[in-house]
Amino acid sequence: MFSELMNFLRACFRPRSDRHVHKGSDAGGRQDGLLWYKDSGQHANGEFSMAVVQANNLLEDQSQMESGNLSLHEAGSYGTFVGVYDGHGGPETSRYVNDHLFQHLKRFTSEQQSMSVDVIRKAFQATEEGVIAQVSKQWSMRPQIAAVGSCCLVGVICGGTLYIANLGDSRAVLGRVVKATGEVLSVQLSAEHNASIESVRQELRALHPDDPHIVVLKHNVWRVKGLIQVSRSIGDVYLKRAEFNREPLYAKFRLREPIKKPILSAEPSISVLQLQPQDQFIIFASDGLWEHLSNQEAVDIVQNHPRNGSARRLVKAALQEAAKKREMRYSDLKKIDRGVRRHFHDDITVIVVFLDSNLVSRASSTKCASLSVRGGGVNLRPNSLAPCTTPSDTGMA
């Protein structure tokens, strides 16, 4: 069975000269085949490391690291912004979030003259409204855009305070040292919205008491309306607005009964933490990482190695686990091209943010150098498509 699978995969490989395997340097990071990484950089509150590995034909994970002024005013709030956007059904929504969410945040911070939970909530809301407007505009030509969505994980560090906002099932995990023992323990900072979690199913049933099929167990996986695992997202307007859940949308996305109220929510869970000197680093990652590593395993990997390349090290550890689960070598997994690679693991984005307590404790009015980095993927030539792709349920995850 395994040899048949490998033969199938070899048939799907492109000649090496045509597979965009190159190592190089640019202002943002480096590319090595399907892996993009920036091993180290400086942000307003310490150092950081980023890595993205692509599995889908088009990268559906988007991410950004912004540092400096978090408002539009010169005398604004200075700090660090981290965003991980795990798209599903296509890359359009995660790309839109990457282009607009931070800009909305800066606008609302300027209006309120400080960072707050309200500012972050308004930025999410404005981004959602922008996506709905885009879908409305494109609906007649591209109705399937209504079934594209994105999880959204954001971290903001400003004036010694950490804000974590989340929609969907990406995750932020803190590494915190225990003074008595010197151990670094994992602390999960984000609440996940995935129907596999009992409390999420209970929340959905409470919100939709008249719908016995609000969550359905399908192929041993809990899904909202039998369609999607996450209960909150940006986009996915086919499960939020009745006017987008009809023909010409594909039949598999259309519900039997008209939508009376939104089935999915775009309301983020937001937590606020006053950072302490024992808080060492935060790992922000899409669920592609957490599918293969536990919170503590990820924290141990970061803690037990040099800071440089931490995010790339975590991605590699996840890929090694993915290979092991399929009884194959990591070196063979690395040879599998995008598109086909999605059968083995998801797109994975990791941003490790190290915290320097001297910098963290500064006032938010203290100016710092600005930085803007976006996680990359394979750059495709115009009109090029990966060969041998097969339809998958990526839009359902």
Side-chain angles (χ1 to χ4, degrees), residues 210-231:
D210 301 328
D211 187 350
H213 306 296
I214 188 65
V215 284
V216 178
L217 189 62
K218 201 172 176 182
H219 307 305
N220 230 21
V221 177
W222 285 102
R223 295 180 188 272
V224 183
K225 298 300 289 180
L227 290 168
I228 188 167
Q229 284 181 261
V230 293
S231 63

Side-chain angles (χ1 to χ4, degrees), residues 169-297:
D169 56 9
S170 296
R171 188 184 302 170
V173 173
L174 175 71
R176 174 180 282 165
V177 71
V178 180
K179 284 182 182 174
T181 62
E183 282 180 286
V184 176
L185 298 181
S186 63
V187 181
Q188 187 166 322
L189 299 176
S190 55
E192 285 165 46
H193 311 117
N194 189 304
S196 64
I197 301 165
E198 173 64 32
S199 60
V200 171
R201 297 197 296 276
Q202 287 174 357
E203 178 185 66
L204 285 163
R205 288 175 184 133
L207 289 168
H208 304 273
D210 301 328
D211 187 350
H213 306 296
I214 188 65
V215 284
V216 178
L217 189 62
K218 201 172 176 182
H219 307 305
N220 230 21
V221 177
W222 285 102
R223 295 180 188 272
V224 183
K225 298 300 289 180
L227 290 168
I228 188 167
Q229 284 181 261
V230 293
S231 63
R232 302 191 198 186
S233 68
I234 299 282
D236 293 310
V237 299
Y238 76 112
L239 290 175
K240 293 173 178 173
R241 302 278 185 103
E243 64 265 35
F244 300 118
N245 200 291
R246 57 183 175 85
E247 288 187 331
L249 188 70
Y250 289 150
K252 67 177 180 178
F253 295 127
R254 298 203 300 267
L255 303 177
R256 288 177 185 172
E257 328 80 32
I259 296 173
K260 292 185 179 135
K261 64 178 178 178
I263 291 163
L264 301 190
S265 164
E267 180 73 20
S269 294
I270 304 178
S271 60
V272 183
L273 181 72
Q274 295 303 314
L275 290 168
Q276 305 298 323
Q278 59 265 34
D279 298 332
Q280 304 289 293
F281 54 82
I282 311 154
I283 303 166
F284 296 86
S286 55
D287 72 319
L289 182 82
W290 308 113
E291 192 184 333
H292 301 293
L293 297 179
S294 71
N295 293 353
Q296 191 60 47
E297 282 170 340

Side-chain angles (χ1 to χ4, degrees), residues 296-320:
Q296 191 60 47
E297 282 170 340
V299 164
D300 288 346
I301 288 167
V302 174
Q303 178 60 22
N304 297 332
H305 293 89
R307 288 183 171 191
N308 190 54
S310 289
R312 183 155 52 121
R313 207 170 284 117
L314 286 169
V315 167
K316 182 178 178 180
L319 295 186
Q320 286 172 326

Side-chain angles (χ1 to χ4, degrees), residues 91-124:
E92 292 87 355
T93 303
S94 57
R95 287 176 180 172
Y96 183 91
V97 176
N98 214 15
D99 288 338
H100 294 88
L101 177 61
F102 181 59
Q103 299 311 316
H104 287 310
L105 180 106
K106 289 179 81 166
R107 178 163 59 90
F108 290 119
T109 305
S110 302
E111 286 177 13
Q112 300 203 1
Q113 299 185 336
S114 67
M115 183 58 62
S116 68
V117 167
D118 191 45
V119 161
I120 295 168
R121 188 167 278 122
K122 282 181 172 176
F124 271 70

Side-chain angles (χ1 to χ4, degrees), residues 339-374:
V340 180
R341 183 80 82 91
R342 183 61 184 87
H343 297 288
F344 297 82
H345 65 83
D346 200 354
D347 294 335
I348 300 173
T349 296
V350 179
I351 304 176
V352 183
V353 176
F354 294 97
L355 303 168
D356 179 327
S357 58
N358 293 324
L359 297 175
V360 167
S361 59
R362 288 187 312 189
S364 65
S365 57
T366 307
K367 290 188 179 183
C368 56
S370 64
L371 163 115
S372 181
V373 182
R374 292 194 175 196

